[in-house]
């Protein structure tokens, strides 16, 4: 037993030394472009986790929801009721595109959301801005991917983090991003006839 313990201890000492050496070389700081995409659940949920981290660290932040409409969600209700001074929250969409069935209106709303997003990102007081479901707006050409990429590359303040969520992130966006996570769908209760659950989906 003591041999196993000794081997484990030596292994961990080597691992720590290697890790410390790697970490010593990581000295840069920058505002990140973060993309959450893929067919799996959790893209917005993970992004809101970072928003709440910012709030906990007294860092001002902002959220623009491009697609989700006026339905009540836990994260929005909590931020608006408890943290509105720390996080500016804008729900700009009117619901999913298959619900509205009005491309001109969806485009108009997405353009308004993009204008608000640019204002929040330009404000250096905001340390993180979440563009929730913007990838869907880009996919349907409500917002021009080239404009988004150019804006992020040229106008985003150096220390501002921007998080972009939604399926089917464009290659051009992935190319300029610092961190990209693809959520993979393995199993989902919706396929078994279970509807969206409060506290899980909203």
């Amino acid at each position: 037993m003591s041999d196993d313990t000794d081997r484990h201890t030596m292994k961990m000492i080597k691992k720590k030394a290697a890790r410390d050496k790697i970490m010593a070389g990581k000295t840069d700081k920058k505002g990140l472009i973060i993309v959450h995409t893929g067919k799996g659940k959790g893209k917005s949920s993970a992004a809101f986790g970072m928003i709440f981290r910012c709030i906990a660290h007294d860092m001002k932040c902002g959220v623009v929801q491009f697609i989700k409409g006026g339905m009540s969600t836990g994260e929005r209700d909590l931020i608006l009721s408890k943290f509105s001074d720390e996080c500016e929250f804008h729900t700009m969409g009117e619901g999913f595109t298959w619900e509205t069935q009005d491309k001109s209106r969806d485009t108009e709303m997405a353009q308004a959301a993009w204008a608000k997003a640019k204002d929040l990102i330009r404000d250096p007081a905001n340390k993180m801005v979440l563009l929730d479901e913007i990838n869907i707006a880009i996919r349907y050409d409500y917002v021009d991917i080239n404009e988004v990429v150019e804006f992020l590359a040229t106008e985003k303040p150096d220390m501002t983090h921007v998080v972009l969520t939604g399926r089917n992130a464009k290659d051009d966006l992935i190319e300029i991003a610092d961190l990209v996570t693809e959520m993979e769908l393995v199993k989902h209760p919706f396929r078994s006839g279970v509807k969206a659950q409060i506290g899980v989906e909203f």
Side-chain angles (χ1 to χ4, degrees):
M1 189 68 153
S2 67
D3 285 347
D4 286 345
T5 301
D6 289 345
R7 274 196 296 272
H8 177 76
T9 300
M10 292 306 298
K11 183 177 179 181
M12 292 301 109
I13 288 171
K14 288 179 182 178
K15 190 173 233 181
K16 180 177 176 358
R19 184 73 179 163
D20 288 348
K21 185 176 180 180
I22 291 169
M23 294 305 293
K26 311 295 183 191
T27 57
D28 289 348
K29 280 185 166 183
K30 66 176 288 193
L32 303 175
I33 298 171
I34 302 167
V35 176
H36 293 174
T37 192
K39 294 181 180 179
K41 176 183 158 36
K43 297 176 286 294
S44 295
S45 300
F48 275 108
M50 288 190 286
I51 288 291
F52 283 114
R53 283 179 181 163
C54 287
I55 290 171
H57 288 293
D58 295 319
M59 297 164 63
K60 285 190 72 67
C61 49
V63 176
V64 178
Q65 292 191 304
F66 278 73
I67 302 296
K68 295 183 176 97
M71 69 173 284
S72 173
T73 63
E75 57 270 19
R76 186 178 73 180
D77 293 349
L78 180 61
I79 289 171
L80 290 177
S81 65
K82 304 289 186 184
F83 304 111
S84 58
D85 289 342
E86 294 87 357
C87 184
E88 200 172 322
F89 203 112
H90 300 274
T91 301
M92 308 290 287
E94 294 185 316
F96 292 99
T97 51
W98 56 85
E99 297 283 358
T100 62
Q101 299 178 13
D102 185 341
K103 182 170 184 177
S104 63
R105 184 147 179 82
D106 286 343
T107 301
E108 180 184 334
M109 299 299 287
Q111 286 295 314
W114 175 232
K116 177 58 70 177
K118 289 189 286 186
D119 287 344
L120 290 175
I121 294 168
R122 286 186 181 117
D123 183 351
N126 290 320
K127 301 307 178 190
M128 177 178 285
V129 179
L130 166 56
L131 310 183
D132 191 34
E133 305 286 14
I134 189 174
N135 289 336
I136 295 175
I138 292 171
R139 178 186 180 190
Y140 288 110
D141 295 321
Y142 302 156
V143 177
D144 182 7
I145 180 60
N146 296 315
E147 184 181 345
V148 173
V149 167
E150 182 178 0
F151 177 83
L152 292 175
T154 61
E155 294 197 48
K156 182 184 79 64
D158 289 342
M159 294 308 297
T160 301
H161 305 298
V162 178
V163 187
L164 307 96
T165 72
R167 293 183 180 201
N168 303 113
K170 297 282 189 181
D171 289 342
D172 289 351
L173 180 59
I174 290 171
E175 181 66 28
I176 66 159
D178 300 287
L179 173 61
V180 179
T181 300
E182 183 169 5
M183 308 294 187
E184 182 180 351
L185 176 62
V186 177
K187 193 174 184 180
H188 198 294
F190 187 76
R191 290 181 170 178
S192 301
V194 180
K195 68 179 183 178
Q197 302 289 300
I198 189 167
V200 178
E201 273 84 15
F202 60 95

